[in-house]
Amino acid sequence: ALAAEAGPCPLATEVTETSGQGVEGWIDGRRARLGRAAFVGVGEGQGGETEIWFGFVGDTKVRFRFSDSLRPDAAATIAALKARGLGVEILSGDLPGPVAAVAKALGVEDWRAALSPSDKAEAVERLQARGRKVLMVGDGLNDAAALAKAHAAMAPGSALSASQNAADLVFSGEGLSAVTAALETATQARARALENFGFAALYNMIAAPAAMLGLINPFVAALAMSGSSLVVTLNALRMRIGGRGA
């Protein structure tokens, strides 16, 4: 958005990034910074809105304000996750003001703001230390470390490549309904796997020993094995064809 608004202009050279803070480079022989307020040199910022600062070292600093809109199905997705008994937290690098507003709109009580990439990763580790299985959903460069540490990770197709590479699942579209859909599919897949193990165990416990002891005809035992295999195949087909409704 900033580049589009600025139009043609000199490009910075010798650009370096300070993780979670901003970028620094040289423009026409002057050192410039773009990023958090403290990184640029204006203290703690003004809060209340998502912002980014730009300025040359030793010169006046400029504040850019951004307005963020929630994804259309964000509130419904959060409600669906809570209905499943899952805890939901927001880990954000933004200022407390806008993060608090988003959390309130979504009905999320647990949220943290002004986090660095390492802060987010540590938050995931703390949850894991308490025995939690963490699903992390993120799309920014600052989310990559937390995505990599989570038990499972998801990123939208619009996410930066670093986040997509760290995620286990990349979903398309602007909505978040894929999060609940993935959980439903995973739950159903686990149930089908347990069914399959159950049928296989039942066969091994009953049909195979009975055939070995001569209690039943080996042909009947073979039919039982075929039936068990057929159930396994049908379960797999149900997952592939039925999708969410399987």
Side-chain angles (χ1 to χ4, degrees):
L2 289 176
E5 187 67 24
C9 57
L11 295 178
T13 60
E14 300 180 39
V15 177
T16 59
E17 177 190 359
T18 301
S19 181
Q21 297 297 319
V23 292
E24 178 180 353
W26 292 83
I27 302 175
D28 291 337
R30 304 173 67 190
R31 187 157 60 96
R33 283 187 168 185
L34 175 72
R36 292 178 180 268
F39 178 72
V40 175
V42 291
E44 294 302 320
Q46 299 180 17
E49 298 172 298
T50 300
E51 64 177 16
I52 192 170
W53 289 79
F54 171 81
F56 291 99
V57 174
D59 202 346
T60 303
K61 309 301 187 291
V62 180
R63 178 178 183 250
F64 296 95
R65 297 176 298 168
F66 294 84
S67 60
D68 296 317
S69 57
L70 294 175
R71 294 176 185 260
D73 61 349
T77 300
I78 296 299
L81 293 173
K82 287 185 173 182
R84 296 177 66 94
L86 301 176
V88 180
E89 298 184 23
I90 295 177
L91 304 177
S92 176
D94 289 336
L95 295 171
V99 177
V102 168
K104 182 178 180 180
L106 295 177
V108 177
E109 294 80 15
D110 298 323
W111 58 271
R112 296 177 60 190
L115 299 181
S116 66
S118 59
D119 291 334
K120 293 183 179 182
E122 289 171 3
V124 171
E125 289 178 335
R126 281 194 294 271
L127 288 170
Q128 292 173 335
R130 288 157 47 191
R132 299 293 186 89
K133 300 294 189 296
V134 180
L135 166 63
M136 175 74 181
V137 183
D139 64 352
L141 182 63
N142 292 345
D143 297 322
L147 289 167
K149 285 186 175 294
H151 283 86
M154 297 178 63
S158 58
L160 295 179
S161 58
S163 295
Q164 292 191 28
N165 291 337
D168 302 297
L169 187 153
V170 177
F171 58 92
S172 60
E174 293 297 322
L176 292 174
S177 60
V179 176
T180 52
L183 287 171
E184 291 172 6
T185 301
T187 300
Q188 293 164 10
R190 183 176 187 275
R192 298 293 174 265
L194 291 176
E195 269 186 28
N196 296 340
F197 283 127
F199 280 115
L202 185 64
Y203 170 80
N204 289 329
M205 289 169 50
I206 300 176
M212 293 174 63
L213 294 173
L215 299 178
I216 61 174
N217 190 302
F219 179 70
V220 175
L223 288 178
M225 182 62 180
S226 298
S228 177
S229 299
L230 178 60
V231 171
V232 171
T233 302
L234 288 175
N235 280 336
L237 286 173
R238 288 171 65 188
M239 288 303 300
R240 289 179 62 86
I241 296 173
R244 292 178 60 186

